[in-house]
Amino acid sequence: MRRPALYSRSPRTLPEAAEPAVDEAGAPPASSNPAPAKAPWQPGRRSFALLIVLSAALVAGAAWWPHPGAKTLTQKDIDAAVLRTLQTQTLPSPAAKAAEIVRPSVVRVVGYGPEKATPEAKVQKRGRNLAKGKPPEAPSDEAPPGQVERGVGTGVVIVDKGVILTNLHVVAGSETIKVTFSDGFEATATITGVQPENDLAVLQAQKIPDDLIPAVMRSTADLQPGDQVAAVGFPFGIGPSVSAGVVSGLKRSFRSPEGKQELGNLIQFDAAANPGNSGGPLVNMDGEVLGIVTAILNPTQQRTFIGIGFAVPIENAASAAGSPPF
């Protein structure tokens, strides 16, 4: 086998020549081998590196050298291009972008248990069935044996381990709670915490889909009336649905129609909300959760939206889960 050549890092040196012998006449003896010719110069490593540096400098200089006929963009050209794009391209609305951001974190929450006989429960059941194209009094196909669908609401994932915020009135009295994630994955959930003074409940899903994305929460300290918001949820079980509006007031109070409970420090908004939106997120145009939709003003018994909804600020809502975010 041929051995590979080995190269030494030490410089090459020639051995010192021995002094030639002279004969008695003082002339050097004749040699049959002529003296070797001087080797031609060969570039070393430093010369090769210098050559590479010079080549790179020439290439870079050619790239930056102004080319004849090239046009320099001005601010006017940039403005014209932006205007042309706005005129020819349909951009998504701010509410659409916000809903797209928060949608992976929004879940449908359904509570099952003994059937309620209250007028409110009957109205919600009729609305859900009519929305699904069913007779008003048709039973739910998804209910566990011996139970009925008592309430449909919305929740929002705040921790990627399956921690969900919703309204207490959505799941109160339920024997079984089911949540449906944005990708269609279904799981049962249990109540791990409640905050009755703010009508809030914390759920823990027993199973979660892969790559579950929690919502981003945003402080309401700088929130002002007139700020744009969107409500994402499942009104009458339909959804996820999106409605847009503005913050119409802060630090509002609301008393339930039955007069059993009064909520305070609420965000008032005019984005459409109906039964089923309860527990869903109220978000800004960056898709960040500002609050949890909890009630709508109902001067009548029709339970339809008349332009005033209320949400619990996210500071209160997150504290219900034992993790104040701010």
Side-chain angles (χ1 to χ4, degrees):
M1 179 183 293
R2 182 180 178 183
R3 298 181 60 188
L6 299 178
Y7 295 89
S8 172
R9 294 186 180 180
S10 59
R12 179 180 298 175
T13 57
L14 296 175
E16 297 182 0
E19 295 184 2
V22 283
D23 56 12
E24 296 178 355
S31 174
S32 60
N33 297 326
K38 185 177 181 180
W41 176 85
Q42 295 180 352
R45 293 186 178 180
R46 294 185 180 179
S47 301
F48 185 69
L50 179 59
L51 182 60
I52 291 180
V53 171
L54 291 175
S55 300
L58 289 174
V59 173
W64 287 98
W65 193 266
H67 299 281
K71 181 181 178 182
T72 303
L73 289 178
T74 64
Q75 187 61 46
K76 185 177 181 180
D77 296 328
I78 298 174
D79 294 342
V82 172
L83 180 60
R84 184 165 55 254
T85 301
L86 293 175
Q87 292 174 342
T88 57
Q89 301 292 330
T90 301
L91 301 179
S93 69
K97 292 188 291 185
E100 186 66 22
I101 292 172
V102 77
R103 185 173 286 115
S105 308
V106 178
V107 300
R108 183 172 181 260
V109 181
V110 183
Y112 299 95
E115 185 172 8
K116 291 182 180 180
T118 63
E120 178 181 333
K122 292 181 179 180
V123 170
Q124 291 186 6
K125 180 180 179 180
R126 287 173 57 88
R128 290 192 297 271
N129 285 341
L130 291 174
K132 297 176 182 178
K134 297 180 178 181
E137 302 303 325
S140 173
D141 299 331
E142 304 172 354
Q147 300 181 20
V148 297
E149 186 179 287
R150 293 188 51 171
V152 175
T154 309
V156 58
V157 178
I158 61 170
V159 181
D160 59 4
K161 295 180 180 180
V163 179
I164 301 168
L165 275 176
T166 189
N167 278 150
L168 180 58
H169 73 262
V170 172
V171 295
S174 298
E175 295 180 359
T176 304
I177 300 171
K178 289 186 178 181
V179 295
T180 305
F181 295 89
S182 62
D183 61 355
F185 185 87
E186 295 184 354
T188 58
T190 57
I191 300 174
T192 59
V194 296
Q195 197 178 77
E197 63 272 21
N198 287 313
D199 190 23
L200 292 169
V202 182
L203 306 180
Q204 174 62 63
Q206 300 304 301
K207 296 181 180 180
I208 59 175
D210 296 333
D211 302 325
L212 181 60
I213 301 175
V216 176
M217 296 177 282
R218 170 66 183 270
S219 171
T220 61
D222 57 351
L223 194 63
Q224 296 180 358
D227 286 345
Q228 291 181 297
V229 291
V232 183
F234 292 85
F236 294 106
I238 307 172
S241 300
V242 183
S243 57
V246 299
V247 173
S248 49
L250 298 170
K251 299 186 183 300
R252 299 294 197 237
S253 296
F254 170 78
R255 182 177 292 277
S256 63
E258 298 82 6
K260 298 179 180 179
Q261 184 179 12
E262 182 173 354
L263 305 177
N265 190 35
L266 300 175
I267 303 170
Q268 179 184 327
F269 63 91
D270 67 353
N274 284 286
N277 276 109
S278 295
L282 184 72
V283 301
N284 60 15
M285 295 300 99
D286 292 324
E288 300 166 330
V289 181
L290 300 170
I292 301 298
V293 177
T294 191
I296 56 176
L297 188 61
N298 273 310
T300 68
Q301 295 298 321
Q302 298 303 314
R303 300 226 7 117
T304 55
F305 185 68
I306 62 172
I308 297 178
F310 300 100
V312 178
I314 194 61
E315 288 89 344
N316 300 58
S319 66
S323 57
F326 313 110

